Structure formats: structure tokens, C-alpha cells
Amino acid sequence: MAASSNSSLSGSSVSSDPDDYQPPIWKSYLYQLQQEAPRPKRITCPQEMESRPKYYGREFHGMISREYADELLAGKEGAYLIRESQRQPGTHTLALSFGHQTLNYRLFYDGKHFVGEKRFESVHDLVTDALITLYIETKAAEYIAKMTTNPIYEHLGYTSLLKDKMVHRLSRGRTEPRRVTFQSDDRISSPVVRRSALKDTPEKLSSYEKIHNFKVHTFRGPHWCEYCANFMWGLIAQGVRCSDCGLNVHKQCSKLVPSDCQPDLRRIKKVYSCDLTTLVKAHNTTRPMVVDMCIREIELRGMKSEGLYRVSGFSEHIEDVRLAFDRDGEKADISASAYADINIIAGALKLYLRDLPIPVITFDLYSKFIQAAKLPNAESRLEAIHEELLQLPPAHYETLRYLMAHLKRVTTFEKYNLMNAENLGIVFGPTLMQPPEQNALTTLNDMRQQKLVVQLMIEHEDVLF
């Protein structure tokens, strides 16, 4: 192995100026091992086997004993054959010579060949990948175990320059969640005593953290892990790639990568049904564009519309709006000239919120909000809801804050639109809150609490957010 390829990166440095950034040194040791791995050698059967399945070739030897297979493979590193099991007729075994012994694997076919998780188009490819993996894991077991201890991802600040710029831009104009202490105020006459004397406590400014959306990926040509700088070995499914930002890493390294995904707009294929945090980070906004644009349009021309948010627009036209956002993003035309009925825009906003893969009030906090709504004491309810709001991911919190401020303004036009906080709670409760188990009975039982949570957030928006 080349000494320079595997030397420590501790002497490397990175300038704070992006123009001076030097790419990391990729480590070639595992790549060299892959090049040295035994090549597959097919041991063919001298006679035609009538029992041979159509998806196997001449490497199929029929029902032969394990001992005879050992003889055929003896002394031929990388040699392989397929035999039918004598113990379980109808099942097949891949016999592979490696490390001066014969390894036997139960072989399956479902349109592709496999012995484990990976699926292959041909047995030859399966054996090639197996030999690479066996060879590298045999020769470099200790190296692999330690390869994540000095990652380039953090050591060289491999992605920090982009991340710092994005976080700085994203944080501008963002409202920081307030932790407040409620204190009774006798001047406020309300069924719910609002503790409106606020005591702010400093909260650490949260960045819009987002975990990477890693999926197993097959890389064409040599690829190196962007976390540990080591080669990603194998023929297929060598590692994982984040489908949102394109980060390529080993599967084992993916567990160590920080939650700092910076989605690439080119990889975001749609607006609706896209994770909320992913969308705002990809577009470098504090809230989803759909929320901003729809609310802006509704407040421009729909606040006095009777039954606003309760009356449904034509579903075909709402679907048109969805397609327009997916296709055109912030350039989508939702003006009165395109959609005269404001209920279409209101319906498109509700559809966006309803179709989020993770609701605005996240699955993990759902039960806590429901329990908060069940508290008998009005002040305790507000206190508990406020505490849970602070646990929301920043993008979810900001979206909910903005929406509640809008709905509060909707209620000021109640004499025209007939929509008070309770009515809006009925509409938005199941839209913003969904039980994680998607159980119809649970949803039915929780409807009263869902409505109450949203109603209280609207009525006490200025205190809770």
C-alpha cells in the first residue's frame, strides 16, 4: 500500500475561505485490496443436466455431495459451482473456494440471485462481490473497525463551509421560540385565565437540523466514503447515498454522520408530500413556500369569505394547485385570475399540511399534546402545550407559529366568515395532528383533544409562541 494514501490527515488544514478549500486525501488501501481479490472461476459440469433450472448455467452440477464439491474446487481459489442439496432436494447451494476451504451458501432466486440482502443479475456477479467482500474483510478487519475513528467529515470540516453559510442565511429573519413563565393576571377576564405576564428565558438558537435520508446505492465506478475517506468496496450496493443532499458514505459510517443534511434543490422532485424540514432547507426559507403563498393570497382577498377553511373548493382545482406547486414551486400562479374561488387556495393549503409525511405536530409529540389537552386546569393546559411546542423541530415550530398567527387574524373577521377559534380547531385539528399508528379509532377518540389543542393555540397565539 502507498504510505501517502493511508497517512493520518491530522496535519491537514482547511481555510475559512471557501475558495482556498482543498479536497480531502482519499485513502486507497481498500481499493488496492479489491484489485487483489481473487477472481471468480466457474467450474462447469461436463454433461448436460436435465434437472438444471433455466436461470443457472453450466456451473450447475445437479445433486452431488458436499465432499465431491470439495474435490472439484480443491486448490482453486475463487472457484465456484452450484449443486442441488441432497438433504433438501429442490434447494440449491453455492459452493465457493476461498481461503483454502469450501464455503457453502444457500442460494435463492426471485428474478435475481441472492444469498443475503444484495440481489444480483447473475451468479457470476454475486460470486465476484462475495470474493471482494471476503478478501477485504479477511485482510483488513482491524483497519475497517478503526476507519471511522479519524473521519475527514469533521477533521477537515469537509461540509462545514457550505453548512455554515446555509445556517447563517437560514437563521436571518427566523423567530426564536420563547420559553415563558405564565403568571396570573386579574385584568384579563376569560374562561381561561391567561398568564400573560411573560418572563423570557434565554433559549439557544436552534439551527434547522435535518437527518440524512440514506438509501442503499450502487455506485458505478470507484467511489470513496465522504465521511471516512475510505474506498467503498464491492460490486453493487457498496454504500448509501442521501437522497436529499447526495452525501455518499459507507453503511456503517452513516450511523455516525451528524444531522446536518443540506438538501440539494435538484434532488427535491416535488413540494407536496415532501418532508417539511427538507423542503425549507432545499429552498433556503424559514417556512414552506406553500404556506407563505397561500396565506398571503387568502389574507389579500379571502378573510371575509363565509366558511373560510370549512367550505371545500372543487377537488379538481385543488389538485391543479398542487401540481402547479410541484411543477413551478414559488412561481406557481394562485392569483384570483387563475383561481377566483378562495376556497381552492384554502383547500390547497390544508391538503399540503395533511399530506406531510411527518405532520406539523410530529408523531413523537402527538400523545403529549393530547395529554396536555386533557388536563383539567386551564392554566396547566396552556403550560403543558407551551412546553411541548418548544420540543418541535424548528421548521415545524416556525410553520405552526405563522399559521396560528394567520388563523388568529381569521377569527377577527368572524362576523363575516363565521369562523371562530373553535370552528378552526375542528378543521385543523386532524390536519395538523395525526396519531403515529394511523388508527381510525384512536383518531376518533382524540378528535375533541385535537380540536382543543388547535383552538387554544389560536386563542393564545401571542402567549404560546
Side-chain angles (χ1 to χ4, degrees), residues 362-445:
T362 55
F363 290 128
D364 59 320
L365 293 175
Y366 176 85
S367 61
K368 294 181 179 179
F369 274 94
I370 293 297
Q371 292 306 314
K374 291 180 178 178
L375 292 174
N377 181 272
E379 296 180 4
S380 298
R381 274 202 303 266
L382 287 181
E383 192 100 47
I385 290 173
H386 175 68
E387 287 301 314
E388 298 313 322
L389 286 171
L390 295 176
Q391 305 307 313
L392 286 171
H396 287 243
Y397 177 92
E398 173 59 22
T399 300
L400 189 60
R401 182 198 68 79
Y402 190 75
L403 178 64
M404 292 303 110
H406 161 67
L407 295 180
K408 183 70 171 286
R409 291 191 291 273
V410 170
T411 63
T412 63
F413 291 85
E414 182 187 352
K415 70 176 182 179
Y416 302 104
N417 59 39
L418 308 181
M419 296 300 290
N420 57 27
E422 183 177 6
N423 292 337
L424 290 168
I426 294 171
V427 172
F428 280 93
T431 299
L432 299 173
M433 303 178 64
Q434 299 170 29
E437 64 274 12
Q438 297 297 321
N439 184 290
L441 184 59
T442 300
T443 303
L444 187 63
N445 291 336

Coordinates of all heavy atoms in Angstrom, one line a residue, residues 362-445:
T362 N -45.5 16.7 15.3 CA -44.9 15.5 14.9 C -45.4 14.3 15.6 O -46.0 14.4 16.7 CB -43.3 15.6 15.2 OG1 -43.1 15.9 16.5 CG2 -42.7 16.6 14.3
F363 N -45.2 13.1 15.0 CA -45.7 11.9 15.6 C -45.3 11.6 17.0 O -46.0 11.2 17.9 CB -45.3 10.7 14.7 CG -46.0 10.6 13.4 CD1 -45.2 10.5 12.2 CD2 -47.4 10.6 13.3 CE1 -45.8 10.4 11.0 CE2 -48.0 10.6 12.0 CZ -47.2 10.5 10.9
D364 N -44.0 11.9 17.3 CA -43.4 11.6 18.6 C -44.0 12.5 19.7 O -43.9 12.2 20.9 CB -41.9 11.7 18.6 CG -41.4 13.1 18.1 OD1 -42.0 13.7 17.2 OD2 -40.4 13.5 18.7
L365 N -44.6 13.7 19.3 CA -45.1 14.6 20.3 C -46.7 14.5 20.4 O -47.3 15.2 21.2 CB -44.7 16.0 20.0 CG -43.2 16.3 20.2 CD1 -42.9 17.7 19.8 CD2 -42.8 16.1 21.6
Y366 N -47.2 13.7 19.5 CA -48.7 13.7 19.4 C -49.4 13.4 20.7 O -50.2 14.1 21.2 CB -49.1 12.6 18.4 CG -50.6 12.4 18.2 CD1 -51.4 13.3 17.4 CD2 -51.3 11.4 19.0 CE1 -52.8 13.1 17.4 CE2 -52.6 11.2 18.9 CZ -53.4 12.1 18.1 OH -54.7 11.9 18.0
S367 N -48.9 12.3 21.4 CA -49.6 11.8 22.6 C -49.4 12.9 23.7 O -50.3 13.0 24.6 CB -49.0 10.5 23.0 OG -47.6 10.6 23.3
K368 N -48.3 13.6 23.7 CA -48.0 14.6 24.8 C -49.0 15.8 24.6 O -49.5 16.3 25.6 CB -46.6 15.0 24.7 CG -45.6 13.9 25.1 CD -44.2 14.4 25.0 CE -43.2 13.3 25.4 NZ -41.8 13.7 25.4
F369 N -49.3 16.2 23.4 CA -50.2 17.3 23.1 C -51.6 16.8 23.5 O -52.4 17.6 24.1 CB -50.2 17.7 21.7 CG -49.2 18.7 21.3 CD1 -47.9 18.3 20.9 CD2 -49.4 20.1 21.5 CE1 -47.0 19.3 20.6 CE2 -48.5 21.0 21.2 CZ -47.2 20.6 20.7
I370 N -52.0 15.5 23.2 CA -53.3 15.0 23.6 C -53.4 15.0 25.1 O -54.5 15.4 25.7 CB -53.5 13.6 23.0 CG1 -53.6 13.7 21.5 CG2 -54.8 13.0 23.6 CD1 -54.7 14.4 20.9
Q371 N -52.4 14.6 25.8 CA -52.5 14.5 27.3 C -52.5 15.9 27.9 O -53.2 16.1 28.8 CB -51.2 13.8 27.8 CG -51.2 12.3 27.5 CD -52.5 11.6 28.0 OE1 -52.9 11.8 29.1 NE2 -53.0 10.8 27.1
A372 N -51.9 16.9 27.2 CA -51.9 18.3 27.7 C -53.3 18.8 27.6 O -53.8 19.5 28.5 CB -51.0 19.1 26.9
A373 N -54.0 18.4 26.5 CA -55.4 18.9 26.3 C -56.4 18.3 27.3 O -57.4 18.9 27.6 CB -55.9 18.6 24.9
K374 N -56.0 17.2 27.9 CA -56.9 16.5 28.9 C -56.7 17.0 30.3 O -57.5 16.7 31.2 CB -56.6 15.0 28.9 CG -57.0 14.3 27.6 CD -56.7 12.8 27.6 CE -57.2 12.1 26.4 NZ -56.8 10.6 26.4
L375 N -55.7 17.9 30.5 CA -55.5 18.4 31.9 C -56.8 19.2 32.3 O -57.2 20.1 31.5 CB -54.3 19.3 31.9 CG -52.9 18.5 31.7 CD1 -51.8 19.5 31.7 CD2 -52.7 17.5 32.9
P376 N -57.2 19.0 33.5 CA -58.5 19.7 33.9 C -58.3 21.2 34.2 O -59.2 22.0 34.0 CB -58.9 19.0 35.2 CG -57.6 18.4 35.7 CD -56.8 18.1 34.5
N377 N -57.1 21.6 34.6 CA -56.8 23.0 34.9 C -56.4 23.8 33.7 O -55.5 23.4 33.0 CB -55.7 23.1 36.0 CG -55.4 24.5 36.4 OD1 -54.6 25.2 35.8 ND2 -56.1 25.0 37.4
A378 N -57.1 24.9 33.4 CA -56.9 25.7 32.2 C -55.5 26.2 32.1 O -54.8 26.1 31.0 CB -57.9 26.8 32.1
E379 N -54.9 26.7 33.2 CA -53.6 27.2 33.2 C -52.5 26.1 33.0 O -51.6 26.3 32.2 CB -53.3 28.0 34.5 CG -54.2 29.2 34.7 CD -53.9 29.9 36.0 OE1 -52.9 29.5 36.7 OE2 -54.6 30.9 36.3
S380 N -52.8 25.0 33.6 CA -51.8 23.8 33.4 C -51.9 23.4 31.9 O -50.8 22.9 31.4 CB -52.2 22.7 34.3 OG -52.1 23.1 35.7
R381 N -53.0 23.4 31.3 CA -53.1 23.0 29.9 C -52.2 23.9 29.0 O -51.5 23.4 28.2 CB -54.6 23.1 29.4 CG -55.4 21.9 29.6 CD -56.6 21.9 28.7 NE -57.4 23.1 28.8 CZ -58.5 23.2 29.6 NH1 -58.9 22.2 30.3 NH2 -59.2 24.3 29.6
L382 N -52.3 25.2 29.2 CA -51.5 26.2 28.4 C -50.0 25.9 28.7 O -49.2 25.9 27.8 CB -51.9 27.6 28.8 CG -53.2 28.1 28.2 CD1 -53.4 29.6 28.6 CD2 -53.3 28.0 26.7
E383 N -49.7 25.7 30.0 CA -48.3 25.5 30.3 C -47.8 24.3 29.6 O -46.7 24.3 29.1 CB -48.2 25.3 31.9 CG -46.8 25.3 32.4 CD -46.5 26.7 33.0 OE1 -47.3 27.2 33.8 OE2 -45.4 27.2 32.7
A384 N -48.6 23.2 29.6 CA -48.1 21.9 29.0 C -48.0 22.0 27.5 O -47.0 21.5 26.9 CB -49.1 20.8 29.4
I385 N -49.0 22.7 26.9 CA -48.9 22.9 25.4 C -47.7 23.7 25.1 O -47.0 23.4 24.1 CB -50.2 23.6 24.9 CG1 -51.4 22.6 25.0 CG2 -50.1 24.0 23.5 CD1 -52.7 23.1 24.7
H386 N -47.4 24.8 25.8 CA -46.3 25.6 25.6 C -45.0 24.8 25.6 O -44.1 24.9 24.8 CB -46.2 26.8 26.6 CG -45.0 27.6 26.4 ND1 -44.7 28.4 25.4 CD2 -43.9 27.8 27.3 CE1 -43.6 29.1 25.5 NE2 -43.1 28.7 26.7
E387 N -44.9 24.0 26.6 CA -43.6 23.2 26.8 C -43.5 22.2 25.6 O -42.3 22.0 25.2 CB -43.7 22.4 28.1 CG -43.5 23.2 29.4 CD -42.1 23.9 29.4 OE1 -41.1 23.3 29.0 OE2 -42.1 25.1 29.7
E388 N -44.5 21.6 25.1 CA -44.4 20.7 24.0 C -44.1 21.4 22.7 O -43.4 20.9 21.8 CB -45.7 19.9 23.9 CG -46.1 19.0 25.0 CD -44.9 18.2 25.5 OE1 -44.1 17.7 24.7 OE2 -44.7 18.0 26.8
L389 N -44.6 22.7 22.6 CA -44.3 23.4 21.4 C -42.8 23.7 21.3 O -42.2 23.7 20.2 CB -45.0 24.8 21.4 CG -46.5 24.8 21.1 CD1 -47.1 26.2 21.4 CD2 -46.8 24.4 19.7
L390 N -42.1 23.8 22.4 CA -40.7 24.1 22.4 C -39.9 22.8 21.9 O -38.7 22.9 21.6 CB -40.2 24.5 23.8 CG -40.7 25.9 24.2 CD1 -40.3 26.1 25.7 CD2 -40.3 27.0 23.3
Q391 N -40.6 21.7 22.0 CA -39.9 20.4 21.6 C -40.0 20.2 20.1 O -39.4 19.2 19.5 CB -40.5 19.2 22.3 CG -40.5 19.4 23.8 CD -39.1 19.7 24.4 OE1 -38.1 19.1 24.0 NE2 -39.0 20.7 25.3
L392 N -40.8 20.9 19.4 CA -41.0 20.7 17.9 C -39.7 21.1 17.2 O -38.9 21.9 17.6 CB -42.1 21.6 17.4 CG -43.5 21.2 17.7 CD1 -44.5 22.4 17.3 CD2 -43.9 19.9 17.0
P393 N -39.4 20.4 16.1 CA -38.3 20.8 15.2 C -38.5 22.2 14.8 O -39.6 22.7 14.6 CB -38.4 19.8 14.0 CG -39.2 18.6 14.5 CD -40.2 19.2 15.5
P394 N -37.4 23.0 14.7 CA -37.5 24.4 14.4 C -38.4 24.8 13.2 O -39.2 25.7 13.2 CB -36.1 24.8 14.1 CG -35.3 23.9 15.0 CD -36.0 22.6 14.9
A395 N -38.3 24.0 12.1 CA -39.1 24.3 10.9 C -40.6 24.1 11.2 O -41.4 24.8 10.7 CB -38.6 23.5 9.7
H396 N -40.9 23.1 11.9 CA -42.3 22.8 12.3 C -42.8 23.9 13.2 O -43.9 24.3 13.1 CB -42.4 21.4 13.0 CG -42.2 20.2 12.1 ND1 -43.1 19.3 11.8 CD2 -41.1 19.9 11.3 CE1 -42.7 18.4 11.0 NE2 -41.4 18.7 10.6
Y397 N -42.0 24.3 14.2 CA -42.4 25.3 15.1 C -42.7 26.6 14.4 O -43.7 27.2 14.6 CB -41.3 25.6 16.2 CG -41.6 26.7 17.1 CD1 -42.2 26.4 18.3 CD2 -41.3 28.0 16.8 CE1 -42.5 27.5 19.2 CE2 -41.5 29.0 17.7 CZ -42.2 28.8 18.9 OH -42.4 29.8 19.8
E398 N -41.8 27.0 13.5 CA -42.0 28.3 12.8 C -43.2 28.2 11.9 O -44.0 29.2 11.7 CB -40.7 28.6 11.9 CG -40.8 29.8 11.0 CD -41.2 31.1 11.7 OE1 -40.9 31.2 12.9 OE2 -41.7 32.0 11.1
T399 N -43.4 27.1 11.2 CA -44.6 26.9 10.4 C -45.9 27.0 11.2 O -46.9 27.7 10.8 CB -44.6 25.6 9.6 OG1 -43.4 25.5 8.8 CG2 -45.8 25.4 8.7
L400 N -45.9 26.3 12.3 CA -47.1 26.4 13.2 C -47.3 27.8 13.8 O -48.5 28.2 13.8 CB -46.9 25.3 14.3 CG -48.1 25.1 15.2 CD1 -49.3 24.5 14.4 CD2 -47.8 24.1 16.3
R401 N -46.3 28.4 14.2 CA -46.4 29.8 14.7 C -47.0 30.7 13.7 O -47.9 31.5 14.0 CB -45.0 30.3 15.1 CG -45.0 31.7 15.7 CD -43.6 32.4 15.7 NE -43.2 32.7 14.3 CZ -43.6 33.7 13.6 NH1 -44.5 34.6 14.1 NH2 -43.2 33.9 12.4
Y402 N -46.5 30.6 12.4 CA -47.0 31.5 11.4 C -48.5 31.2 11.0 O -49.3 32.1 10.8 CB -46.1 31.3 10.1 CG -46.3 32.3 9.0 CD1 -45.9 33.6 9.1 CD2 -47.0 31.9 7.9 CE1 -46.1 34.5 8.1 CE2 -47.2 32.8 6.8 CZ -46.7 34.1 7.0 OH -46.9 35.0 5.9
L403 N -48.8 29.9 11.0 CA -50.2 29.5 10.7 C -51.1 30.0 11.8 O -52.2 30.5 11.5 CB -50.2 28.0 10.5 CG -51.6 27.4 10.3 CD1 -52.2 27.9 8.9 CD2 -51.5 25.9 10.3
M404 N -50.7 29.8 13.1 CA -51.6 30.2 14.2 C -51.9 31.7 14.2 O -53.0 32.2 14.5 CB -51.1 29.7 15.5 CG -51.1 28.2 15.7 SD -52.7 27.5 15.6 CE -52.5 26.6 14.0
A405 N -50.8 32.5 13.9 CA -51.0 33.9 13.8 C -52.0 34.3 12.7 O -52.8 35.2 12.9 CB -49.6 34.6 13.6
H406 N -51.9 33.6 11.6 CA -52.8 33.8 10.5 C -54.3 33.5 10.9 O -55.2 34.2 10.7 CB -52.4 33.0 9.3 CG -53.5 32.8 8.3 ND1 -54.1 33.8 7.5 CD2 -54.2 31.7 7.9 CE1 -55.0 33.3 6.7 NE2 -55.1 32.0 7.0
L407 N -54.4 32.3 11.6 CA -55.8 31.9 12.0 C -56.3 32.8 13.0 O -57.6 33.0 13.1 CB -55.7 30.4 12.5 CG -55.4 29.4 11.4 CD1 -55.4 28.0 12.0 CD2 -56.3 29.4 10.2
K408 N -55.5 33.4 13.9 CA -55.9 34.4 14.8 C -56.5 35.6 14.1 O -57.6 36.1 14.5 CB -54.8 34.8 15.7 CG -55.1 35.8 16.8 CD -56.0 35.1 17.9 CE -56.1 36.0 19.1 NZ -54.9 36.1 19.9
R409 N -55.8 36.0 13.0 CA -56.4 37.1 12.2 C -57.7 36.7 11.5 O -58.6 37.6 11.4 CB -55.3 37.5 11.2 CG -54.1 38.2 11.8 CD -53.2 38.9 10.8 NE -52.5 37.9 9.9 CZ -51.4 37.3 10.2 NH1 -50.8 37.6 11.4 NH2 -50.8 36.5 9.4
V410 N -57.8 35.5 11.1 CA -59.1 35.0 10.5 C -60.2 35.2 11.5 O -61.3 35.6 11.1 CB -59.0 33.5 10.1 CG1 -60.3 32.9 9.7 CG2 -58.0 33.4 8.9
T411 N -60.0 34.9 12.8 CA -61.1 35.0 13.8 C -61.5 36.4 14.0 O -62.6 36.7 14.5 CB -60.6 34.4 15.1 OG1 -59.5 35.1 15.7 CG2 -60.2 32.9 15.0
T412 N -60.7 37.4 13.7 CA -61.1 38.8 13.8 C -62.1 39.2 12.8 O -62.7 40.3 12.9 CB -59.8 39.7 13.7 OG1 -59.3 39.7 12.4 CG2 -58.8 39.4 14.8
F413 N -62.3 38.4 11.8 CA -63.3 38.6 10.8 C -64.5 37.7 10.9 O -65.2 37.4 10.0 CB -62.7 38.5 9.3 CG -61.7 39.5 9.0 CD1 -60.4 39.4 9.3 CD2 -62.1 40.6 8.2 CE1 -59.5 40.4 9.0 CE2 -61.2 41.6 7.9 CZ -59.9 41.5 8.2
E414 N -64.7 37.2 12.2 CA -65.7 36.2 12.4 C -67.1 36.6 12.0 O -67.9 35.8 11.5 CB -65.7 35.8 13.9 CG -66.7 34.7 14.2 CD -66.8 34.5 15.7 OE1 -66.0 35.0 16.5 OE2 -67.8 33.7 16.1
K415 N -67.4 37.9 12.2 CA -68.8 38.4 11.8 C -69.1 38.2 10.3 O -70.2 38.2 9.9 CB -69.0 39.8 12.3 CG -68.3 40.9 11.6 CD -68.7 42.2 12.1 CE -68.0 43.4 11.3 NZ -68.4 44.7 11.8
Y416 N -68.0 38.1 9.5 CA -68.2 37.9 8.1 C -68.0 36.4 7.7 O -68.8 35.9 7.0 CB -67.2 38.7 7.3 CG -67.2 40.2 7.6 CD1 -66.3 40.8 8.4 CD2 -68.2 41.0 7.0 CE1 -66.3 42.2 8.6 CE2 -68.3 42.4 7.2 CZ -67.3 43.0 8.1 OH -67.4 44.3 8.3
N417 N -66.9 35.8 8.2 CA -66.6 34.5 7.8 C -67.2 33.4 8.7 O -67.1 32.2 8.3 CB -65.1 34.3 7.6 CG -64.3 34.5 8.9 OD1 -64.8 34.2 10.0 ND2 -63.1 35.1 8.8
L418 N -67.7 33.8 9.8 CA -68.4 32.8 10.8 C -67.4 31.8 11.3 O -67.8 30.7 11.7 CB -69.6 32.2 10.1 CG -70.6 33.1 9.5 CD1 -71.8 32.3 8.9 CD2 -71.1 34.1 10.5
M419 N -66.1 32.1 11.3 CA -65.1 31.1 11.7 C -64.4 31.6 13.0 O -63.6 32.5 12.9 CB -64.1 30.8 10.6 CG -64.7 30.2 9.4 SD -65.4 28.6 9.7 CE -64.0 27.6 10.0
N420 N -64.8 31.0 14.1 CA -64.1 31.4 15.4 C -63.0 30.3 15.6 O -62.8 29.4 14.8 CB -65.1 31.4 16.5 CG -65.9 30.2 16.7 OD1 -65.4 29.1 16.3 ND2 -67.1 30.3 17.3
A421 N -62.3 30.4 16.8 CA -61.2 29.6 17.1 C -61.6 28.1 17.2 O -60.9 27.2 16.8 CB -60.5 30.0 18.3
E422 N -62.8 27.9 17.8 CA -63.3 26.5 17.9 C -63.6 25.9 16.6 O -63.2 24.7 16.3 CB -64.6 26.5 18.8 CG -65.1 25.1 19.0 CD -66.3 25.1 19.9 OE1 -66.8 26.2 20.3 OE2 -66.8 24.0 20.3
N423 N -64.2 26.6 15.7 CA -64.5 26.1 14.3 C -63.2 25.8 13.6 O -63.1 24.7 12.9 CB -65.3 27.1 13.5 CG -66.7 27.3 14.1 OD1 -67.3 26.4 14.8 ND2 -67.4 28.4 13.8
L424 N -62.3 26.7 13.7 CA -61.0 26.4 13.0 C -60.2 25.2 13.7 O -59.5 24.5 13.0 CB -60.1 27.7 13.1 CG -60.6 28.8 12.2 CD1 -59.9 30.1 12.6 CD2 -60.4 28.5 10.7
G425 N -60.4 25.1 15.0 CA -59.8 23.9 15.6 C -60.4 22.6 15.1 O -59.7 21.6 14.9
I426 N -61.7 22.6 14.8 CA -62.4 21.4 14.3 C -61.8 21.1 12.9 O -61.5 19.9 12.6 CB -63.9 21.6 14.2 CG1 -64.5 21.7 15.6 CG2 -64.5 20.5 13.4 CD1 -66.0 22.1 15.6
V427 N -61.5 22.1 12.1 CA -61.0 21.9 10.7 C -59.5 21.5 10.8 O -59.1 20.6 10.1 CB -61.1 23.2 9.9 CG1 -60.4 23.1 8.6 CG2 -62.6 23.6 9.7
F428 N -58.7 22.2 11.6 CA -57.3 22.0 11.5 C -56.7 21.0 12.5 O -55.6 20.5 12.4 CB -56.5 23.3 11.7 CG -56.5 24.2 10.5 CD1 -57.4 25.1 10.3 CD2 -55.5 24.0 9.6 CE1 -57.4 25.9 9.1 CE2 -55.4 24.8 8.4 CZ -56.4 25.8 8.2
G429 N -57.6 20.5 13.5 CA -57.1 19.5 14.4 C -56.5 18.3 13.8 O -55.4 17.9 13.9
P430 N -57.4 17.6 13.0 CA -56.9 16.4 12.3 C -55.9 16.6 11.2 O -55.2 15.7 10.8 CB -58.1 15.7 11.8 CG -59.3 16.6 12.0 CD -58.8 17.8 12.8
T431 N -55.8 17.9 10.7 CA -54.8 18.2 9.7 C -53.4 18.4 10.2 O -52.4 17.9 9.6 CB -55.3 19.5 9.0 OG1 -56.6 19.3 8.4 CG2 -54.3 19.9 7.9
L432 N -53.3 19.0 11.4 CA -52.0 19.3 12.0 C -51.6 18.2 12.9 O -50.4 18.1 13.2 CB -52.1 20.6 12.8 CG -52.4 21.8 12.0 CD1 -52.6 23.0 12.9 CD2 -51.3 22.1 11.0
M433 N -52.5 17.3 13.4 CA -52.2 16.3 14.4 C -52.7 15.0 13.9 O -53.9 14.8 13.6 CB -52.8 16.6 15.7 CG -52.4 17.9 16.3 SD -53.3 18.2 17.9 CE -52.6 16.9 18.9
Q434 N -51.8 14.0 13.7 CA -52.2 12.6 13.3 C -51.5 11.6 14.2 O -50.3 11.7 14.4 CB -51.8 12.4 11.8 CG -52.4 13.4 10.9 CD -51.8 13.3 9.5 OE1 -51.4 12.2 9.1 NE2 -51.9 14.3 8.7
P435 N -52.2 10.6 14.7 CA -51.6 9.6 15.6 C -50.6 8.8 14.8 O -50.8 8.5 13.6 CB -52.8 8.8 16.1 CG -53.9 9.0 15.1 CD -53.7 10.4 14.5
P436 N -49.5 8.4 15.4 CA -48.4 7.7 14.7 C -48.9 6.4 14.2 O -48.4 5.9 13.1 CB -47.3 7.5 15.7 CG -48.0 7.8 17.0 CD -49.1 8.7 16.8
E437 N -49.9 5.7 14.9 CA -50.3 4.4 14.4 C -51.4 4.4 13.4 O -51.8 3.4 12.9 CB -50.8 3.5 15.6 CG -52.0 4.1 16.3 CD -51.7 5.1 17.4 OE1 -50.5 5.6 17.4 OE2 -52.6 5.5 18.2
Q438 N -51.8 5.6 13.0 CA -52.9 5.8 12.0 C -54.1 4.9 12.2 O -54.6 4.2 11.3 CB -52.3 5.5 10.6 CG -51.1 6.4 10.1 CD -51.6 7.8 10.0 OE1 -52.7 8.1 9.5 NE2 -50.8 8.8 10.4
N439 N -54.5 4.8 13.5 CA -55.6 4.0 13.9 C -56.9 4.9 13.8 O -57.0 5.9 14.5 CB -55.4 3.4 15.3 CG -56.5 2.5 15.7 OD1 -57.6 2.9 16.0 ND2 -56.1 1.2 15.8
A440 N -57.9 4.4 13.1 CA -59.1 5.2 12.9 C -59.8 5.4 14.3 O -60.4 6.5 14.6 CB -60.1 4.5 11.9
L441 N -59.8 4.4 15.1 CA -60.5 4.5 16.4 C -59.7 5.5 17.3 O -60.4 6.3 18.0 CB -60.5 3.1 17.1 CG -61.2 3.1 18.5 CD1 -62.7 3.5 18.3 CD2 -61.1 1.7 19.0
T442 N -58.4 5.5 17.3 CA -57.6 6.5 18.1 C -57.9 7.9 17.6 O -58.2 8.8 18.4 CB -56.1 6.2 17.9 OG1 -55.8 4.9 18.4 CG2 -55.3 7.2 18.7
T443 N -58.0 8.1 16.3 CA -58.3 9.4 15.7 C -59.7 9.9 16.2 O -59.8 11.0 16.5 CB -58.2 9.4 14.2 OG1 -56.9 8.9 13.8 CG2 -58.5 10.7 13.6
L444 N -60.6 9.0 16.1 CA -62.0 9.3 16.5 C -62.0 9.7 18.0 O -62.7 10.7 18.4 CB -62.9 8.1 16.3 CG -64.4 8.4 16.5 CD1 -64.9 9.4 15.5 CD2 -65.2 7.1 16.3
N445 N -61.4 8.9 18.9 CA -61.4 9.2 20.3 C -60.6 10.5 20.6 O -60.9 11.1 21.7 CB -60.7 8.0 21.0 CG -61.6 6.8 21.0 OD1 -62.8 6.8 20.8 ND2 -60.9 5.6 21.2

